[in-house]
């Protein structure tokens, strides 16, 4: 009799994935029901927990939820949570071109620590940025400290600064988003136009500690702007306005009343940009 030490490894991950996917929204074997807006989503605790640290904590570490068969989920729409559950069970998700719904899924992906899904959604959002949605996307990027998405929004806004300042969504920017944007010297638009629209923002939103209005660069305006427009707004005290006028007259008489230009892939060493050879 001949003995063989050979072993055979059988791999059938396709069927495994198919079997797990078949449990998506399946009431069979379900041991927890997620309630969203009075609608039910049937799920399985062990699958949710092993796929998401958030659900592991919610279902197994929270004494109030450990033995509950129904758990109410707030702060999310039914369709958004259903899409996330599909990703949990199948590893796939369909992301539409609707930015609002995509931002909701991004928020959940961040909250539930799905790093790969979060990265994929950010890549999907970047080419979809436009004047109608960039403020909402920027708010989300700042809320969750998504640096890649933040840089994409800032780059788009730098290239379209005047249009962004005058857009309807400008007043929808969060306090944090507004400050970070105005602190950028590459966010190029006439400072007086920036002030006018920041003043509108301040009427609608709470400018905590006046941090937003203080981002307006008074010394980059003209004396006429300060006397005719800024003074009457009463958003700055007289001493600050006088200091700005003194700086304008004494230091910046030859400079423009704007921030810096933002030029993408353009050679600055040309006559058009007043470049000249100084040696060599």
């Amino acid at each position: 009799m001949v003995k063989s030490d050979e072993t055979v490894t059988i791999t059938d991950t396709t069927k495994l994935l198919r079997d797990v996917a078949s449990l998506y929204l399946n009431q069979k074997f379900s041991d927890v029901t997620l309630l969203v807006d009075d609608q039910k989503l049937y799920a399985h605790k062990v699958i949710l927990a092993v796929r998401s640290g958030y659900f592991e904590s919610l279902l197994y570490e929270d004494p109030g939820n450990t033995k509950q068969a129904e758990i109410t989920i707030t702060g999310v729409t039914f369709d958004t949570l259903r899409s996330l559950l599909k990703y949990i069970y199948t590893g796939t998700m369909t992301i539409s071109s609707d930015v609002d719904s995509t931002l909701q899924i991004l928020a959940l992906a961040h909250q539930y620590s799905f790093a790969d899904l979060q990265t994929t959604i950010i890549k999907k959002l970047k080419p979809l940025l436009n004047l109608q949605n960039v403020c909402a996307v920027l708010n989300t990027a700042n809320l969750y400290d998504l640096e890649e998405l933040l840089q994409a929004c800032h780059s788009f806004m730098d290239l379209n600064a005047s249009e962004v300042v005058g857009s309807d969504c400008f007043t929808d920017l969060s306090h944090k988003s507004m400050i970070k944007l105005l602190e950028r010297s590459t966010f190029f638009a006439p400072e007086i136009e920036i002030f006018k629209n920041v003043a509108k923002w301040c009427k609608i939103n709470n400018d905590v500690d006046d941090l937003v209005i203080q981002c307006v660069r008074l010394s980059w305006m003209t004396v006429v702007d300060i006397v005719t427009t800024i003074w009457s707004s009463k958003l700055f005290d007289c001493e600050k306005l006088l200091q700005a006028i003194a700086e304008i007259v004494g230091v910046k008489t030859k400079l423009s009343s704007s921030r810096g230009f933002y030029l993408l892939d353009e050679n600055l060493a040309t006559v058009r940009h007043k470049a000249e050879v100084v040696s060599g």
Side-chain angles (χ1 to χ4, degrees):
M1 182 176 181
V2 179
K3 294 184 179 180
S4 175
D5 293 331
E6 294 183 2
T7 60
V8 177
T9 300
I10 300 174
T11 302
D12 194 1
T13 55
T14 300
K15 185 176 186 305
L16 172 64
L17 292 174
R18 188 167 59 246
D19 289 343
V20 174
S22 70
L23 295 174
Y24 168 60
L25 300 184
N26 193 335
Q27 191 172 358
K28 187 177 182 180
F29 308 125
S30 172
D31 56 357
V32 65
T33 303
L34 306 180
L35 299 177
V36 184
D37 298 331
D38 296 325
Q39 300 183 75
K40 296 182 177 182
L41 292 167
Y42 297 104
H44 310 78
K45 290 182 179 180
V46 67
I47 294 178
L48 297 183
V50 77
R51 291 279 283 148
S52 166
Y54 173 86
F55 278 116
E56 179 183 7
S57 176
L58 179 69
L59 297 172
Y60 289 100
E61 297 179 12
D62 187 336
N65 292 332
T66 302
K67 296 183 179 181
Q68 286 191 28
E70 292 187 346
I71 296 178
T72 300
I73 306 294
T74 59
V76 62
T77 66
F78 178 81
D79 289 339
T80 301
L81 185 57
R82 183 172 58 182
S83 294
L84 185 67
L85 285 180
K86 182 178 180 181
Y87 177 79
I88 289 174
Y89 280 82
T90 69
T92 62
M93 175 182 289
T94 301
I95 301 175
S96 71
S97 58
D98 179 40
V99 172
D100 288 338
S101 63
T102 302
L103 287 177
Q104 291 183 34
I105 295 174
L106 176 59
L108 281 185
H110 179 81
Q111 180 181 353
Y112 297 162
S113 301
F114 289 107
D116 292 342
L117 177 59
Q118 177 177 292
T119 299
T120 301
I121 294 175
I122 289 174
K123 289 181 179 178
K124 168 73 175 178
L125 281 172
K126 287 164 65 175
L128 296 178
L129 293 175
N130 58 43
L131 291 173
Q132 287 70 47
N133 62 41
V134 68
C135 293
V137 177
L138 181 63
N139 285 342
T140 299
N142 273 312
L143 180 62
Y144 300 116
D145 294 320
L146 306 175
E147 188 62 29
E148 182 181 352
L149 189 58
L150 180 67
Q151 291 301 324
C153 291
H154 279 166
S155 295
F156 176 88
M157 297 172 103
D158 284 347
L159 289 170
N160 302 275
S162 294
E163 291 82 358
V164 169
V165 168
S167 67
D168 293 335
C169 77
F170 190 70
T171 54
D172 295 332
L173 285 173
S174 68
H175 192 261
K176 182 178 180 180
S177 292
M178 184 66 79
I179 291 174
K180 283 195 170 186
L181 180 64
L182 296 181
E183 286 177 342
R184 294 172 62 80
S185 293
T186 50
F187 186 64
F188 167 71
E191 203 70 22
I192 186 62
E193 294 303 317
I194 289 177
F195 166 77
K196 290 177 181 178
N197 288 282
V198 168
K200 291 179 182 177
W201 184 94
C202 290
K203 289 182 179 179
I204 299 173
N205 302 278
N206 178 25
D207 186 8
V208 181
D209 297 328
D210 293 332
L211 294 178
V212 169
I213 197 65
Q214 296 302 324
C215 290
V216 175
R217 304 180 186 187
L218 295 175
S219 59
W220 287 100
M221 300 185 195
T222 66
V223 173
V224 173
D225 289 335
I226 291 180
V227 172
T228 60
T229 304
I230 311 300
W231 201 293
S232 60
S233 73
K234 302 186 184 302
L235 290 174
F236 294 93
D237 58 48
C238 295
E239 182 177 353
K240 193 169 185 64
L241 294 180
L242 290 174
Q243 288 175 351
I245 291 174
E247 186 177 351
I248 293 169
V249 174
V251 180
K252 308 193 70 165
T253 54
K254 294 184 180 180
L255 295 180
S256 69
S257 58
S258 301
R259 297 168 183 243
F261 286 97
Y262 184 85
L263 299 174
L264 183 65
D265 297 330
E266 184 167 341
N267 182 15
L268 300 181
T270 64
V271 175
R272 175 170 171 260
H273 294 294
K274 299 181 180 180
E276 59 183 65
V277 177
V278 294
S279 66

